[in-house]
Each structure stands twice: as C-alpha cells, then as structure tokens.
Amino acid sequence: LTLNGGSYEGSNWGGTVDKYPRYALRNNGTMVIKGDTIVKGDFGAMGLYNNSSTIIDGGLFVTNEDMGKDGKEWTHHTVWAGGSSELTINGGIFQNLDPSTSGSVITDGTTGKVTINGGTYSGGHGSNINDYGYGGTIVVNYGKFESIDVRIVVDGSIVYIKDVPYLKEKGAFTAVNAYVAGSDGVNTYCKTLDDAISLASNGDTIV
C-alpha cells in the first residue's frame, strides 16, 4: 500500500480507551508513505505490528495534545514500531505535542528495526527516539532533533540537536562548526573552520 498525500485523523483502535495508544494508521503488511500525507491522532499517529514493513519518505505525523484525560496517565508515541516490524524514515516531520506524556516520538517497542536517514523530530519524553530494550535495533544516520540519546546514533553520522550540527565520533557528540563540501559530492564535517580550511582541495567549498 502506498499513501501519497491525504489526511488521516486518529481513532480509538481496539475499543475501550486505556493508557495505551490507539493509532490513526495501523500497518500489518507493507506500506510506503510519501509526499504531503498528514497523519494525526490524539492517541498516537501510526502503529506498526507483526512482520510489517514501512518506509516513510515524507509527510507530517502528529500526536495531539488532547490527551491525558479523566485523571489517567497516558502513554503515547507518535510512531510505534512493534512486533518484528521494520521502519525506515527518509524524511518527514514527527511531533509529540503532549509535554506530559511518558511516550516518545519514534519508539522501537519490541524486536523491530528502525532506521532513520532524515526527518525532523520534536516532543515526547526525554529523547525523541526511544528503545524499550527488548532486542530491537535503532540506527540513526541523520536527522534534526530536540533531544536524542547519543548511544543510538552511528559513529560518523551528523545529527542536528536544537538546530546545532553534531558529529558522533568515538561514542560522543562533537559540535560541528564547518564542513568541506567536496567537488566529488562528499561532505567532510569538521570541529573548527581551520580544520576545514586545511582539508579543502581545489574545487571544494567550505561551509
């Protein structure tokens, strides 16, 4: 199934509302989401189950702030990867608008695999990306975040945290102050402008 545009509003999957999410979209098979697709839900935007496969190339995914009703403590994730599902995110905007939720923006809830190659992430509890520790895999290669746990970012990757670029190397984040845009199309990220100048060759651009 391919979604290329359209707007999808949340509903209460599973009957009686309790503290667990009820997603606007639920994937048990194969799904590709592109373009200007909008997915919103008071109880989570999208849930992935079983051995499903999901590729998100763009769109807006929002967990609304109309939550935490009736004195209950709610758990809400914008996108939940459950079962042995596989999720690849290449782009899009992902938001959890409820500051009181114990949920996250992207959560690997069981044994699935989540690969993040792009996108913008905000909200949720603590890190925008969360691993429940059941043996799943999260790989972050690139993205823009309000907050992210350094442990799930791959060495050599660039992430933006509150619009500041960081390079992960040797298990830690290092602020990036310049990079060399190579004439061969390869970017080399540097801690200082002087480092970038020393690395640049004819035809390269320092940014």
Side-chain angles (χ1 to χ4, degrees), residues 38 50 70 74 80-82 92 95 117 124 132 141 150 191 198 203 206:
I38 298 173
N50 302 319
D70 303 325
W74 302 88
W80 162 272
Q95 301 173 331
N117 300 317
Y132 269 21
N141 296 311
V150 68
K191 299 176 186 178
S198 67
I206 298 175

Side-chain angles (χ1 to χ4, degrees), residues 112-167:
K113 180 177 181 180
V114 176
T115 303
I116 296 176
N117 300 317
T120 301
Y121 306 83
S122 61
H125 181 72
S127 175
N128 298 152
I129 313 299
N130 186 32
D131 179 6
Y132 269 21
Y134 294 124
T137 302
I138 298 178
V139 175
V140 178
N141 296 311
Y142 180 81
K144 296 184 178 181
F145 306 87
E146 281 188 340
S147 174
I148 189 168
D149 189 330
V150 68
R151 292 172 296 180
I152 65 174
V153 179
V154 179
D155 270 349
S157 296
I158 293 291
V159 297
Y160 285 75
I161 305 173
K162 295 182 179 178
D163 294 326
V164 176
Y166 288 86
L167 169 67

Side-chain angles (χ1 to χ4, degrees), residues 23-184:
Y23 297 100
L25 289 181
R26 181 181 178 116
N27 184 21
N28 288 290
T30 301
M31 185 177 292
V32 177
I33 300 176
K34 300 181 176 183
D36 297 324
T37 305
I38 298 173
V39 185
K40 295 182 178 182
D42 289 348
F43 307 105
M46 187 170 186
L48 318 179
Y49 295 89
N50 302 319
N51 296 314
S52 62
S53 173
T54 305
I55 298 174
I56 299 176
D57 289 329
L60 173 64
F61 299 79
V62 180
T63 292
N64 292 324
E65 53 192 339
D66 184 21
M67 301 185 294
K69 298 177 181 177
D70 303 325
K72 294 182 179 179
E73 179 182 351
W74 302 88
T75 301
H76 299 288
H77 315 283
T78 305
V79 179
W80 162 272
S84 298
S85 59
E86 292 194 5
L87 168 64
T88 300
I89 300 176
N90 298 315
I93 298 172
F94 303 84
Q95 301 173 331
N96 190 327
L97 300 181
D98 183 11
S100 64
T101 181
S102 59
S104 190
V105 182
I106 309 295
T107 296
D108 188 348
T110 48
T111 59
K113 180 177 181 180
V114 176
T115 303
I116 296 176
N117 300 317
T120 301
Y121 306 83
S122 61
H125 181 72
S127 175
N128 298 152
I129 313 299
N130 186 32
D131 179 6
Y132 269 21
Y134 294 124
T137 302
I138 298 178
V139 175
V140 178
N141 296 311
Y142 180 81
K144 296 184 178 181
F145 306 87
E146 281 188 340
S147 174
I148 189 168
D149 189 330
V150 68
R151 292 172 296 180
I152 65 174
V153 179
V154 179
D155 270 349
S157 296
I158 293 291
V159 297
Y160 285 75
I161 305 173
K162 295 182 179 178
D163 294 326
V164 176
Y166 288 86
L167 169 67
K168 183 183 176 183
E169 55 180 4
K170 298 180 181 178
F173 284 140
T174 301
V176 172
N177 292 294
Y179 69 89
V180 178
S183 57
D184 58 358

